[in-house]
């Protein structure tokens, strides 16, 4: 259901509102509640910042999300319980201010539980949606994507007093209603599946796709520095298929159609990857047809398939936090325990000698781990930016690989040719939440891979079959 990006009003069957979830507005629609206006031709996505928020809410999922929100508060909860028992076990004359301070931690824990429960509890309305399921909205208009986020109990400020387009744009860019991301900084819009392979699907689970919009950061001189990513999770409407089957391909293909609608709504202002890369391929086919030759097939995409950013960085942070805790956590926990125990009884005794060695090793470990994390993160980012191009013809497959710098500039090019008689098949495989085309040899070994950013025709399997026909025996 389409909702007002600003105040969450359900548009329903208002004139101009598209009947399909990801259609374009056929006329300008002004919200009856807050006077926010969605322009004609815009595409409005209403979804969640998390994959779980886009799924149907059950008691189990609600409690799981509350426990996830509570997990970082475990240390505070432990201190709060300890302080409460300390206050109860002592008489009035022996009450400790430290115990009272610890007990106040339970208030913070209770606030976290209340906020999480409210965020994941359906509201009393027709579609019974919880705030977490519609906490993010993308308004895709020519030249920009405007992102609106809401939180439980927070109402976005109204724009009913905004009277003209210039004032409205100024209000948007100042952060009054939403965050504007210009299409001139847009690199790509891609669809992913947030669910990993082997996931056990329930009967009523939705086919949720994650739509990623990658934008360039620019320095004060206007040069591109690095990428940042916007993510929204939406119900793609993909058919679930038979029980136990892998839904990845269906979800990504349905998500790609949504990404294509966004590309068309935003327009051609963006740089690489905003529009489907078909112009050069169409010109090549036309030239081949004029010459009486068989038209080649050109496919463009990414060189590698990996979980989209910031997933790799988050995984690295978790992995590298383990040696940090080992190196630094022991002395820190011991010192904190001594401080809390001896705070009211006297001065803290000097640290044992082994603590000096452990602290020195911890400092060195922190420096090494931070530098290693930075190097690995930059490497993964460059892998994400690397491009690939397939040129398929009767003679075989030409693979053009192009690594990139962190600023998106080409860093060389590698070309290799694979003879047609070496290729036995072209298959579609899901990897890292993306779809890849894999050209395999007679022995089943992969000879070339390309990750699809956009799927021409909407079906990766049809594209693979079309490519495979070039390598059939003649």
């Amino acid at each position: 259901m389409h909702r007002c990006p600003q105040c969450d009003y359900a548009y329903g069957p208002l004139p101009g509102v598209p009947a399909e979830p990801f259609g374009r507005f056929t006329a300008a629609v002004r919200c009856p509640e807050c006077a926010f206006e969605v322009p004609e031709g815009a595409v409005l996505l209403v979804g969640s910042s998390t994959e779980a928020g886009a799924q149907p809410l059950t008691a189990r999922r609600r409690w799981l999300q509350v426990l996830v929100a509570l997990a970082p508060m475990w240390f505070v909860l432990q201190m709060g319980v300890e302080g409460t028992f300390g206050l109860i076990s002592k008489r009035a004359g022996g009450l400790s201010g430290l115990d009272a301070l610890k007990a106040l931690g339970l208030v913070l824990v209770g606030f976290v539980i209340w906020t999480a429960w409210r965020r994941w509890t359906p509201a009393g309305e027709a579609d019974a949606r919880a705030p977490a399921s519609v906490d993010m909205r993308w308004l895709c208009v020519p030249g920009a994507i405007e992102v609106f986020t809401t939180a439980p109990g927070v109402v976005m400020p109204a724009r009913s007093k905004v009277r003209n387009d210039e004032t409205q744009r100024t209000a948007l860019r100042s952060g009054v209603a939403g965050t504007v991301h210009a299409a001139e900084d847009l690199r790509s819009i891609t669809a992913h599946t947030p669910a990993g392979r082997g996931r056990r699907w329930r009967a009523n689970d939705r086919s949720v796709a994650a739509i990623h919009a990658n934008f360039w950061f620019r320095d004060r001189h206007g040069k591109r520095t690095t990428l940042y990513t916007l993510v929204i999770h939406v119900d793609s409407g993909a058919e679930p298929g038979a029980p136990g089957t892998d839904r990845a391909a269906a979800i990504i293909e349905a998500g790609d159609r949504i990404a294509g609608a966004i590309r068309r709504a935003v327009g051609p202002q963006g740089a690489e990857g905003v529009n489907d890369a078909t112009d050069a391929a169409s010109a090549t086919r036309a030239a081949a047809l004029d010459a009486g030759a068989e038209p080649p097939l050109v496919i463009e995409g990414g060189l590698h398939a990996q979980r989209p950013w910031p997933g790799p960085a988050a995984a690295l942070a978790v992995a590298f936090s383990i040696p940090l805790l080992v190196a630094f956590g022991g002395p820190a926990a011991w010192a904190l325990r001594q401080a809390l125990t001896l705070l009211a009884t006297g001065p803290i005794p000097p640290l044992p000698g082994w603590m000096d060695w452990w602290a020195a090793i911890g400092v060195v470990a922190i420096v090494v781990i931070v530098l290693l994390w930075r190097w690995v993160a930059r490497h993964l980012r460059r892998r994400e930016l690397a491009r690939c191009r397939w040129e398929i013809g009767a003679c075989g497959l030409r693979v053009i690989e192009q690594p990139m710098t962190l600023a998106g500039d080409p860093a060389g090019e590698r070309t290799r040719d694979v003879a047609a008689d070496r290729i036995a098949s072209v298959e579609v495989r899901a990897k890292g939440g993306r779809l890849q085309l894999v050209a395999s040899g007679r022995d089943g070994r992969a000879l070339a891979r390309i990750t699809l950013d956009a799927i021409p025709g909407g079906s990766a399997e049809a594209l693979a079959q079309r490519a495979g026909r070039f390598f059939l025996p003649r």
Side-chain angles (χ1 to χ4, degrees):
M1 178 181 291
H2 290 89
R3 294 169 174 266
C4 175
Q6 183 168 262
C7 71
D8 199 33
Y9 177 84
Y11 286 139
L14 288 177
V17 177
E20 59 275 11
F22 309 106
R24 304 184 75 164
F25 280 65
T26 57
V29 175
R30 185 175 294 274
C31 176
E33 188 76 18
C34 69
F36 183 96
E37 184 174 279
V38 176
E40 180 181 357
V43 172
L44 177 61
L45 272 67
V46 179
S48 176
S49 57
T50 65
E51 191 264 345
Q55 294 288 0
L57 284 177
T58 61
R60 177 184 176 185
R61 183 170 281 125
R62 186 180 301 115
W63 277 112
L64 179 62
Q65 295 302 322
V66 171
L67 292 177
V68 168
L70 189 61
M73 306 297 296
W74 176 253
F75 184 69
V76 179
L77 176 62
Q78 184 179 8
M79 287 200 309
V81 173
E82 182 180 345
T84 302
F85 274 106
L87 292 176
I88 295 175
S89 61
K90 296 176 183 178
R91 296 182 178 180
L95 294 180
S96 169
L98 181 60
D99 287 337
L101 184 62
K102 289 181 179 180
L104 286 177
L106 293 179
V107 177
L108 179 60
V109 174
F111 176 77
V112 171
I113 295 176
W114 175 80
T115 303
W117 185 262
R118 184 177 180 183
R119 172 177 167 80
W120 292 94
T121 299
E125 54 186 29
D127 57 356
R129 291 292 187 97
S133 64
V134 291
D135 64 351
M136 180 169 289
R137 304 170 188 95
W138 285 11
L139 181 60
C140 307
V141 296
I145 296 179
E146 303 171 14
V147 178
F148 299 77
T149 56
T150 56
V154 177
V155 179
M156 300 298 292
R159 291 196 322 191
S160 57
K161 295 183 180 180
V162 177
R163 297 300 181 187
N164 57 74
D165 293 340
E166 184 62 31
T167 308
Q168 185 181 87
R169 181 61 59 185
T170 302
L172 278 172
R173 290 193 178 278
S174 64
V176 173
T179 306
V180 176
H181 304 266
E184 62 186 6
D185 296 326
L186 180 61
R187 177 183 181 268
S188 62
I189 302 175
T190 56
H192 306 255
T193 171
R197 293 183 62 87
R199 168 175 169 173
R200 297 180 59 185
W201 292 85
R202 298 179 178 86
N204 62 341
D205 277 356
R206 301 188 181 108
S207 299
V208 175
I211 309 299
H212 290 248
N214 299 297
F215 290 84
W216 288 109
F217 270 125
R218 295 183 183 269
D219 59 18
R220 57 194 182 114
H221 302 294
K223 294 184 178 180
R224 297 181 301 193
T225 55
T226 185
L227 286 175
Y228 67 96
T229 304
L230 307 176
V231 186
I232 186 171
H233 297 81
V234 296
D235 180 6
S236 65
E239 294 295 330
T245 58
D246 186 10
R247 299 186 185 181
I251 292 175
I252 296 172
E253 289 179 352
D256 182 72
R257 290 190 285 272
I258 301 171
I262 299 175
R263 298 186 198 107
R264 291 187 292 272
V266 170
Q269 291 88 348
E272 54 187 295
V274 176
N275 299 303
D276 296 343
T278 57
D279 293 340
S282 299
T284 304
R285 294 191 195 99
L289 286 174
D290 293 340
E294 184 179 6
L297 175 63
V298 177
I299 304 173
E300 296 190 1
L303 180 58
H304 305 285
Q306 63 184 26
R307 283 289 168 187
W309 217 258
L316 279 177
V318 172
F320 287 160
S321 65
I322 297 175
L324 283 177
L325 290 175
V326 173
F328 200 70
W334 185 89
L336 179 62
R337 185 73 177 178
Q338 290 296 104
L340 293 177
T341 303
L342 302 176
L343 185 62
T345 59
I348 299 177
L351 296 178
W354 60 268
M355 293 284 286
D356 295 333
W357 287 100
W358 200 340
I361 294 174
V363 171
V364 174
I366 290 175
V367 173
V368 172
I369 290 172
V370 169
L371 293 177
L372 182 61
W373 181 91
R374 179 178 174 83
W375 181 84
V376 176
R378 289 169 64 90
H379 173 70
L380 291 176
R381 189 54 131 173
R382 290 192 62 181
R383 282 175 58 90
E384 184 179 13
L385 293 174
R387 307 297 298 166
C388 184
R389 177 185 174 95
W390 278 12
E391 297 178 356
I392 306 174
C395 296
L397 169 64
R398 169 162 290 184
V399 181
I400 303 172
E401 301 174 356
Q402 190 174 57
M404 296 284 186
T405 66
L406 290 177
D409 299 321
E413 186 174 285
R414 176 192 174 195
T415 301
R416 57 190 178 94
D417 294 320
V418 183
D421 56 2
R422 293 184 57 197
I423 300 175
S425 63
V426 178
E427 302 173 329
V428 179
R429 298 179 187 176
K431 182 179 179 181
R434 307 281 295 278
L435 289 184
Q436 277 192 330
L437 291 186
V438 181
S440 302
R442 308 291 176 185
D443 56 356
R445 185 171 59 92
L447 301 176
R449 301 173 184 268
I450 187 170
T451 304
L452 300 177
D453 290 336
I455 305 173
S459 173
E461 189 63 38
L463 181 62
Q465 292 177 2
R466 182 180 173 190
R469 284 197 293 268
F470 283 87
F471 311 119
L472 293 176
R474 299 180 184 276

mmCIF file of all heavy atoms in Angstrom, residues 287-317:
data_model
loop_
_atom_site.group_PDB
_atom_site.id
_atom_site.type_symbol
_atom_site.label_atom_id
_atom_site.label_comp_id
_atom_site.label_asym_id
_atom_site.label_seq_id
_atom_site.Cartn_x
_atom_site.Cartn_y
_atom_site.Cartn_z
ATOM 1 N N ALA A 287 25.138 -3.334 -36.410
ATOM 2 C CA ALA A 287 26.238 -3.360 -37.378
ATOM 3 C C ALA A 287 26.464 -4.768 -37.907
ATOM 4 O O ALA A 287 26.743 -4.973 -39.100
ATOM 5 C CB ALA A 287 27.512 -2.821 -36.722
ATOM 6 N N ALA A 288 26.368 -5.768 -37.041
ATOM 7 C CA ALA A 288 26.559 -7.151 -37.473
ATOM 8 C C ALA A 288 25.456 -7.587 -38.425
ATOM 9 O O ALA A 288 25.705 -8.293 -39.402
ATOM 10 C CB ALA A 288 26.608 -8.073 -36.248
ATOM 11 N N LEU A 289 24.217 -7.167 -38.155
ATOM 12 C CA LEU A 289 23.111 -7.520 -39.043
ATOM 13 C C LEU A 289 23.293 -6.889 -40.414
ATOM 14 O O LEU A 289 23.014 -7.501 -41.448
ATOM 15 C CB LEU A 289 21.787 -7.089 -38.413
ATOM 16 C CG LEU A 289 21.300 -7.944 -37.230
ATOM 17 C CD1 LEU A 289 20.066 -7.308 -36.614
ATOM 18 C CD2 LEU A 289 20.995 -9.365 -37.685
ATOM 19 N N ASP A 290 23.759 -5.623 -40.437
ATOM 20 C CA ASP A 290 23.981 -4.953 -41.718
ATOM 21 C C ASP A 290 25.061 -5.669 -42.529
ATOM 22 O O ASP A 290 25.020 -5.704 -43.761
ATOM 23 C CB ASP A 290 24.396 -3.490 -41.485
ATOM 24 C CG ASP A 290 23.250 -2.679 -40.891
ATOM 25 O OD1 ASP A 290 22.086 -3.128 -41.027
ATOM 26 O OD2 ASP A 290 23.515 -1.630 -40.296
ATOM 27 N N ALA A 291 26.041 -6.247 -41.825
ATOM 28 C CA ALA A 291 27.125 -6.946 -42.520
ATOM 29 C C ALA A 291 26.755 -8.378 -42.876
ATOM 30 O O ALA A 291 27.567 -9.094 -43.461
ATOM 31 C CB ALA A 291 28.378 -6.942 -41.649
ATOM 32 N N GLY A 292 25.564 -8.811 -42.488
ATOM 33 C CA GLY A 292 25.127 -10.163 -42.800
ATOM 34 C C GLY A 292 25.684 -11.215 -41.876
ATOM 35 O O GLY A 292 25.587 -12.411 -42.170
ATOM 36 N N ALA A 293 26.298 -10.821 -40.761
ATOM 37 C CA ALA A 293 26.855 -11.788 -39.818
ATOM 38 C C ALA A 293 25.868 -12.052 -38.685
ATOM 39 O O ALA A 293 24.872 -11.351 -38.522
ATOM 40 C CB ALA A 293 28.178 -11.254 -39.246
ATOM 41 N N GLU A 294 26.186 -13.072 -37.925
ATOM 42 C CA GLU A 294 25.342 -13.374 -36.772
ATOM 43 C C GLU A 294 25.589 -12.334 -35.686
ATOM 44 O O GLU A 294 26.743 -12.062 -35.332
ATOM 45 C CB GLU A 294 25.675 -14.770 -36.237
ATOM 46 C CG GLU A 294 24.762 -15.184 -35.093
ATOM 47 C CD GLU A 294 25.095 -16.587 -34.610
ATOM 48 O OE1 GLU A 294 26.095 -17.150 -35.100
ATOM 49 O OE2 GLU A 294 24.366 -17.098 -33.765
ATOM 50 N N PRO A 295 24.545 -11.706 -35.155
ATOM 51 C CA PRO A 295 24.758 -10.643 -34.165
ATOM 52 C C PRO A 295 25.335 -11.202 -32.871
ATOM 53 O O PRO A 295 24.867 -12.217 -32.364
ATOM 54 C CB PRO A 295 23.355 -10.079 -33.949
ATOM 55 C CG PRO A 295 22.436 -11.198 -34.313
ATOM 56 C CD PRO A 295 23.123 -11.941 -35.424
ATOM 57 N N PRO A 296 26.367 -10.567 -32.324
ATOM 58 C CA PRO A 296 26.922 -11.038 -31.051
ATOM 59 C C PRO A 296 26.038 -10.610 -29.881
ATOM 60 O O PRO A 296 25.131 -9.794 -30.031
ATOM 61 C CB PRO A 296 28.291 -10.360 -30.995
ATOM 62 C CG PRO A 296 28.087 -9.092 -31.765
ATOM 63 C CD PRO A 296 27.100 -9.416 -32.851
ATOM 64 N N LEU A 297 26.328 -11.172 -28.739
ATOM 65 C CA LEU A 297 25.616 -10.838 -27.510
ATOM 66 C C LEU A 297 26.608 -10.188 -26.558
ATOM 67 O O LEU A 297 27.686 -10.730 -26.305
ATOM 68 C CB LEU A 297 25.015 -12.100 -26.882
ATOM 69 C CG LEU A 297 24.326 -11.932 -25.522
ATOM 70 C CD1 LEU A 297 23.125 -10.999 -25.640
ATOM 71 C CD2 LEU A 297 23.906 -13.290 -24.977
ATOM 72 N N VAL A 298 26.266 -9.019 -26.032
ATOM 73 C CA VAL A 298 27.121 -8.288 -25.104
ATOM 74 C C VAL A 298 26.411 -8.216 -23.754
ATOM 75 O O VAL A 298 25.251 -7.804 -23.664
ATOM 76 C CB VAL A 298 27.429 -6.867 -25.621
ATOM 77 C CG1 VAL A 298 28.270 -6.103 -24.606
ATOM 78 C CG2 VAL A 298 28.140 -6.932 -26.963
ATOM 79 N N ILE A 299 27.107 -8.647 -22.706
ATOM 80 C CA ILE A 299 26.569 -8.629 -21.342
ATOM 81 C C ILE A 299 27.559 -7.882 -20.466
ATOM 82 O O ILE A 299 28.767 -8.160 -20.500
ATOM 83 C CB ILE A 299 26.356 -10.061 -20.804
ATOM 84 C CG1 ILE A 299 25.451 -10.854 -21.749
ATOM 85 C CG2 ILE A 299 25.763 -10.031 -19.408
ATOM 86 C CD1 ILE A 299 25.325 -12.317 -21.367
ATOM 87 N N GLU A 300 27.065 -6.947 -19.678
ATOM 88 C CA GLU A 300 27.919 -6.186 -18.772
ATOM 89 C C GLU A 300 27.452 -6.379 -17.339
ATOM 90 O O GLU A 300 26.263 -6.546 -17.074
ATOM 91 C CB GLU A 300 27.909 -4.700 -19.141
ATOM 92 C CG GLU A 300 28.488 -4.414 -20.515
ATOM 93 C CD GLU A 300 28.695 -2.932 -20.745
ATOM 94 O OE1 GLU A 300 28.412 -2.150 -19.824
ATOM 95 O OE2 GLU A 300 29.137 -2.562 -21.843
ATOM 96 N N GLY A 301 28.415 -6.356 -16.416
ATOM 97 C CA GLY A 301 28.079 -6.528 -15.004
ATOM 98 C C GLY A 301 29.310 -6.396 -14.142
ATOM 99 O O GLY A 301 30.321 -5.805 -14.529
ATOM 100 N N GLY A 302 29.224 -6.981 -12.954
ATOM 101 C CA GLY A 302 30.345 -6.948 -12.028
ATOM 102 C C GLY A 302 31.244 -8.159 -12.212
ATOM 103 O O GLY A 302 30.825 -9.207 -12.704
ATOM 104 N N LEU A 303 32.489 -8.000 -11.798
ATOM 105 C CA LEU A 303 33.444 -9.099 -11.929
ATOM 106 C C LEU A 303 33.291 -10.106 -10.796
ATOM 107 O O LEU A 303 33.438 -11.311 -11.011
ATOM 108 C CB LEU A 303 34.871 -8.541 -11.948
ATOM 109 C CG LEU A 303 36.007 -9.553 -12.084
ATOM 110 C CD1 LEU A 303 35.844 -10.375 -13.348
ATOM 111 C CD2 LEU A 303 37.355 -8.847 -12.056
ATOM 112 N N HIS A 304 32.992 -9.635 -9.594
ATOM 113 C CA HIS A 304 32.892 -10.506 -8.424
ATOM 114 C C HIS A 304 31.487 -10.422 -7.840
ATOM 115 O O HIS A 304 30.777 -9.422 -8.020
ATOM 116 C CB HIS A 304 33.917 -10.110 -7.360
ATOM 117 C CG HIS A 304 35.328 -10.068 -7.857
ATOM 118 N ND1 HIS A 304 36.058 -11.200 -8.108
ATOM 119 C CD2 HIS A 304 36.133 -9.017 -8.163
ATOM 120 C CE1 HIS A 304 37.269 -10.862 -8.530
ATOM 121 N NE2 HIS A 304 37.328 -9.540 -8.574
ATOM 122 N N ALA A 305 31.111 -11.451 -7.114
ATOM 123 C CA ALA A 305 29.841 -11.470 -6.390
ATOM 124 C C ALA A 305 30.137 -11.615 -4.907
ATOM 125 O O ALA A 305 30.787 -12.580 -4.487
ATOM 126 C CB ALA A 305 28.952 -12.624 -6.860
ATOM 127 N N GLN A 306 29.718 -10.655 -4.129
ATOM 128 C CA GLN A 306 29.875 -10.717 -2.688
ATOM 129 C C GLN A 306 28.722 -9.972 -2.043
ATOM 130 O O GLN A 306 27.988 -9.240 -2.714
ATOM 131 C CB GLN A 306 31.202 -10.096 -2.247
ATOM 132 C CG GLN A 306 31.331 -8.615 -2.571
ATOM 133 C CD GLN A 306 32.694 -8.049 -2.204
ATOM 134 O OE1 GLN A 306 33.690 -8.752 -2.159
ATOM 135 N NE2 GLN A 306 32.743 -6.749 -1.923
ATOM 136 N N ARG A 307 28.534 -10.205 -0.761
ATOM 137 C CA ARG A 307 27.469 -9.513 -0.059
ATOM 138 C C ARG A 307 27.636 -8.005 -0.200
ATOM 139 O O ARG A 307 28.747 -7.484 -0.077
ATOM 140 C CB ARG A 307 27.473 -9.890 1.422
ATOM 141 C CG ARG A 307 26.878 -11.257 1.688
ATOM 142 C CD ARG A 307 25.383 -11.252 1.478
ATOM 143 N NE ARG A 307 24.825 -12.600 1.456
ATOM 144 C CZ ARG A 307 23.560 -12.869 1.148
ATOM 145 N NH1 ARG A 307 22.746 -11.878 0.814
ATOM 146 N NH2 ARG A 307 23.120 -14.096 1.143
ATOM 147 N N PRO A 308 26.558 -7.283 -0.496
ATOM 148 C CA PRO A 308 26.696 -5.841 -0.731
ATOM 149 C C PRO A 308 27.106 -5.089 0.531
ATOM 150 O O PRO A 308 26.879 -5.546 1.647
ATOM 151 C CB PRO A 308 25.286 -5.434 -1.193
ATOM 152 C CG PRO A 308 24.383 -6.473 -0.620
ATOM 153 C CD PRO A 308 25.165 -7.741 -0.611
ATOM 154 N N TRP A 309 27.730 -3.968 0.311
ATOM 155 C CA TRP A 309 28.155 -3.101 1.400
ATOM 156 C C TRP A 309 26.926 -2.575 2.141
ATOM 157 O O TRP A 309 25.897 -2.335 1.525
ATOM 158 C CB TRP A 309 28.949 -1.931 0.813
ATOM 159 C CG TRP A 309 30.089 -1.494 1.659
ATOM 160 C CD1 TRP A 309 30.126 -0.411 2.468
ATOM 161 C CD2 TRP A 309 31.365 -2.131 1.781
ATOM 162 N NE1 TRP A 309 31.332 -0.325 3.087
ATOM 163 C CE2 TRP A 309 32.117 -1.367 2.697
ATOM 164 C CE3 TRP A 309 31.925 -3.279 1.243
ATOM 165 C CZ2 TRP A 309 33.413 -1.718 3.054
ATOM 166 C CZ3 TRP A 309 33.209 -3.621 1.592
ATOM 167 C CH2 TRP A 309 33.939 -2.840 2.494
ATOM 168 N N PRO A 310 26.931 -2.456 3.487
ATOM 169 C CA PRO A 310 28.085 -2.588 4.375
ATOM 170 C C PRO A 310 28.245 -3.968 5.007
ATOM 171 O O PRO A 310 28.916 -4.098 6.028
ATOM 172 C CB PRO A 310 27.779 -1.547 5.453
ATOM 173 C CG PRO A 310 26.293 -1.583 5.570
ATOM 174 C CD PRO A 310 25.766 -1.874 4.179
ATOM 175 N N GLY A 311 27.640 -5.011 4.417
ATOM 176 C CA GLY A 311 27.738 -6.345 4.971
ATOM 177 C C GLY A 311 29.160 -6.839 5.174
ATOM 178 O O GLY A 311 29.519 -7.314 6.255
ATOM 179 N N PRO A 312 30.047 -6.755 4.151
ATOM 180 C CA PRO A 312 31.428 -7.212 4.363
ATOM 181 C C PRO A 312 32.146 -6.465 5.477
ATOM 182 O O PRO A 312 32.902 -7.064 6.240
ATOM 183 C CB PRO A 312 32.083 -6.943 2.997
ATOM 184 C CG PRO A 312 30.963 -6.971 2.021
ATOM 185 C CD PRO A 312 29.788 -6.380 2.750
ATOM 186 N N ALA A 313 31.928 -5.154 5.585
ATOM 187 C CA ALA A 313 32.590 -4.388 6.641
ATOM 188 C C ALA A 313 32.096 -4.814 8.014
ATOM 189 O O ALA A 313 32.874 -4.904 8.972
ATOM 190 C CB ALA A 313 32.349 -2.893 6.431
ATOM 191 N N ALA A 314 30.789 -5.082 8.135
ATOM 192 C CA ALA A 314 30.250 -5.524 9.420
ATOM 193 C C ALA A 314 30.809 -6.886 9.814
ATOM 194 O O ALA A 314 31.155 -7.119 10.980
ATOM 195 C CB ALA A 314 28.724 -5.577 9.338
ATOM 196 N N ALA A 315 30.905 -7.792 8.841
ATOM 197 C CA ALA A 315 31.477 -9.108 9.135
ATOM 198 C C ALA A 315 32.936 -8.995 9.564
ATOM 199 O O ALA A 315 33.392 -9.698 10.475
ATOM 200 C CB ALA A 315 31.341 -10.016 7.917
ATOM 201 N N LEU A 316 33.685 -8.096 8.905
ATOM 202 C CA LEU A 316 35.077 -7.889 9.295
ATOM 203 C C LEU A 316 35.178 -7.352 10.719
ATOM 204 O O LEU A 316 36.037 -7.777 11.497
ATOM 205 C CB LEU A 316 35.741 -6.906 8.332
ATOM 206 C CG LEU A 316 36.237 -7.449 6.997
ATOM 207 C CD1 LEU A 316 36.786 -6.306 6.163
ATOM 208 C CD2 LEU A 316 37.278 -8.522 7.201
ATOM 209 N N ALA A 317 34.304 -6.411 11.065
ATOM 210 C CA ALA A 317 34.343 -5.828 12.402
ATOM 211 C C ALA A 317 34.084 -6.890 13.466
ATOM 212 O O ALA A 317 34.736 -6.910 14.516
ATOM 213 C CB ALA A 317 33.308 -4.698 12.504
#
